Amino acid sequence: MGGLVTLTVTTCAVAGSSAFGAKPGGARRSRMERSLQWRDGRFENPQPLQNDVWRAVRDLAGASEHRRPGGPVPTAPLDASSFQRPPATGLRVTWLGHSTLLVELDGRRVLVDPVWGERASPFSWVGPHRFHSPVLPLEQVPAIDAVVISHDHFDHLDMRTLQAMKGWKTTFVVPLGVGAHLERWGVPAANVIELDWWERTRLGDLEIVATPARHASGRSLFSGRNGTLWAGFALLAPAHRVYYSGDTGLFPGLADIGARLGPFDVAMIEVGAYGRAWPDWHLGPEQAVLASQMVRAEVLLPVHWGLFNLAYHGWTEPAERVLVAAEKAGVTVTVPRPGQSIEPAALPPLTRWWPDVPWRTAEVDPIVATRMGPVRVGVDATTP
């Protein structure tokens, strides 16, 4: 039996070895070690993540029966030719599913966390399978000025997608260490820019700032966790500002992001894949609404839901709960269909395009981050 287990593990490791990426070394590793976030051989959050393994095992028995759609997901028709027409307001966001977004602002295009793969997994035959096909073929994506990637988890960094993009004439902006994966998959090193928290790069009149996040990284059980950095991003153009949270739990630094880089016309903030056993890894719907206030966003666009089964809650629950929380807080929220484009300054009427299935309320299943301290909302900018 021990030999069979060893053989199985070895086979899996070999089958997914390329998808696991590469371990940073050389000058890249030296730069990582100079980061303020680097401690004892890996990156760390200022507020550690709480993990309750036994609760996670226990809660599995009460997992929702609606974690995957019972029928086709009602996506929006998306014609690639629509991107030839610039947004009337100067800012347009197209949600392509989960955390993949195409942001058009002031004449620039930024593609966020591109995942076109069938599974959020290193393997083609096992792992979370997408609920619907890509709403836009990768070859029909318009010319992109920058691709930003928040961290190296499989539902945000997909090897096959990056291999298909390696010849693109664009710039890949990633947190420290993540460039090692891209280079292994054929992306030219000259096209990759790695940033630490608060560092920025400029592409013409567009500034991209890597912002702090409370999360983790890792693609393999064998290479250890947190060997690369994770981040959110602020996109600062002449007339518009956009924030993307990446994966994050609630943390005090969100108010600093709002003070230093906000206010934002729209914030794309993750709302799904939460659980009481891991309250610091992801925000959950109610804390996502709070986070949008902390970063000083005019409009909240919930992401990180509706494509992969990554937690115990029902697949529609994040959307239902974020609408309830936003109404209570007086926060403007838009929930586009996958494939739908929205302009924050001219929002379409809010419609519930997802099916009506049972879901748990915040009162029944609250998600509360640890080590938070006082929460600051609506802070004035103190740093340019």
Side-chain angles (χ1 to χ4, degrees):
M1 180 63 71
L4 179 60
V5 170
T6 300
L7 178 61
T8 301
V9 171
T10 302
T11 301
C12 289
V14 171
S17 58
S18 294
F20 291 139
K23 189 174 181 179
R28 174 178 280 118
R29 169 81 180 203
S30 297
R31 185 183 172 203
M32 291 162 56
E33 292 175 350
R34 293 193 296 271
S35 170
L36 295 177
Q37 282 60 251
W38 186 265
R39 297 182 185 87
D40 300 324
R42 64 181 189 173
F43 290 105
E44 294 286 358
N45 293 287
Q47 296 82 24
L49 304 177
Q50 176 175 297
N51 296 288
D52 188 337
V53 176
W54 292 115
R55 176 161 200 153
V57 173
R58 187 172 67 249
D59 287 352
L60 180 59
S64 170
E65 298 178 359
H66 304 279
R67 295 164 69 190
R68 292 186 57 87
V73 173
T75 59
L78 181 57
D79 186 347
S81 65
S82 64
F83 296 110
Q84 297 175 10
R85 300 184 298 273
T89 64
L91 172 61
R92 180 168 60 202
V93 180
T94 304
W95 186 44
L96 301 175
H98 198 59
S99 294
T100 302
L101 304 121
L102 202 164
V103 182
E104 301 166 272
L105 69 168
D106 300 346
R108 300 285 180 174
R109 294 194 189 108
V110 179
L111 187 61
V112 177
D113 280 354
V115 173
W116 263 256
E118 286 298 311
R119 296 183 183 275
S121 167
F123 311 110
S124 61
W125 47 273
V126 68
H129 193 272
R130 49 189 311 143
F131 298 164
H132 60 80
S133 300
V135 292
L136 180 69
L138 188 59
E139 60 270 17
Q140 293 184 19
V141 173
I144 297 294
D145 294 283
V147 175
V148 299
I149 297 171
S150 61
H151 63 299
D152 69 2
H153 285 160
F154 291 100
D155 57 322
H156 296 260
L157 178 60
D158 177 61
M159 178 190 70
R160 290 174 179 83
T161 301
L162 268 294
Q163 287 176 328
M165 297 168 62
K166 64 185 179 183
W168 285 17
K169 295 180 180 179
T170 189
T171 300
F172 296 84
V173 184
V174 301
L176 292 179
V178 176
H181 300 317
L182 273 60
E183 289 178 30
R184 178 172 185 183
W185 300 331
V187 177
N191 294 353
V192 179
I193 295 175
E194 296 185 45
L195 300 177
D196 200 351
W197 291 351
W198 298 118
E199 289 184 342
R200 58 184 67 199
T201 189
R202 180 176 286 277
L203 302 174
D205 56 2
L206 173 67
E207 266 197 310
I208 301 177
V209 185
T211 57
R214 187 182 186 185
H215 198 55
S217 68
R219 294 177 71 82
S220 169
L221 295 174
F222 308 103
S223 61
R225 198 177 71 180
N226 296 356
T228 62
L229 189 58
W230 49 94
F233 287 96
L235 310 178
L236 311 180
H240 295 93
R241 294 185 171 221
V242 172
Y243 170 69
Y244 169 57
S245 69
D247 277 9
T248 185
L250 196 69
F251 68 106
L254 288 162
D256 297 323
I257 294 170
R260 296 173 64 168
L261 303 173
F264 296 99
D265 297 277
V266 63
M268 296 96 68
I269 297 181
E270 61 100 329
V271 301
Y274 49 85
R276 296 174 75 177
W278 58 93
D280 302 322
W281 285 71
H282 295 289
L283 287 160
E286 295 75 31
Q287 293 186 147
V289 170
L290 176 57
S292 75
Q293 295 176 297
M294 294 173 72
V295 301
R296 305 170 69 209
E298 296 293 329
V299 175
L300 166 63
L301 195 165
V303 298
H304 201 261
W305 76 284
L307 187 63
F308 295 114
N309 175 14
L310 301 174
Y312 301 157
H313 57 71
W315 80 274
T316 66
E317 184 178 298
E320 298 283 9
R321 285 175 56 165
V322 83
L323 290 183
V324 172
E327 183 177 8
K328 288 181 180 179
V331 167
T332 301
V333 62
T334 182
V335 189
R337 296 184 183 213
Q340 184 179 357
S341 301
I342 63 98
E343 298 190 36
L347 291 175
L350 183 64
T351 59
R352 279 183 166 83
W353 51 264
W354 54 92
D356 183 13
V357 297
W359 53 279
R360 296 187 181 103
T361 66
E363 291 72 25
V364 171
D365 190 23
I367 306 300
V368 181
T370 66
R371 304 171 186 261
M372 262 301 295
V375 175
R376 295 182 291 142
V377 174
V379 188
D380 290 332
T382 57
T383 306

